[in-house]
Amino acid sequence: MGAGDAPLSVVCHLDRLLERRGMTLTELSAQVGVTVANLSVLKNNRAKAIRYSTLAALCTALDCRPGDLFDVEPAAGIP
């Protein structure tokens, strides 16, 4: 990232994927072995990191690829 480029942030689209699949956070939690609380942190874009094993489990359960789950966008509220 060069000088003058806007800062970027990773955005999670877990809510969109759950809705499209008619799945609840509780159902996903049971399938991937991650607590509802931790999935909620991820869904609400408050997570700072994700384990590859968790990412792989989410992609398997949601039948998606990492790029369907995450996007990189300009950081909101940061000039």
Side-chain angles (χ1 to χ4, degrees):
M1 188 162 65
D5 289 342
L8 300 174
S9 63
V10 175
V11 177
C12 182
H13 300 294
L14 184 55
D15 52 352
R16 185 186 321 166
L17 291 168
L18 286 170
E19 184 177 329
R20 286 181 184 163
R21 282 147 180 83
M23 186 183 292
T24 67
L25 212 55
T26 302
E27 291 169 331
L28 182 61
S29 171
Q31 285 189 30
V32 299
V34 175
T35 66
V36 171
N38 282 339
L39 289 176
S40 181
V41 167
L42 187 63
K43 182 175 83 87
N44 292 306
N45 293 304
R46 294 191 315 263
K48 300 293 181 198
I50 184 169
R51 292 176 189 231
Y52 286 143
S53 58
T54 300
L55 179 58
L58 288 171
C59 288
T60 298
L62 294 168
D63 188 29
C64 70
R65 299 179 57 81
D68 300 324
L69 191 55
F70 293 104
D71 211 351
V72 178
E73 300 175 356
I78 299 175

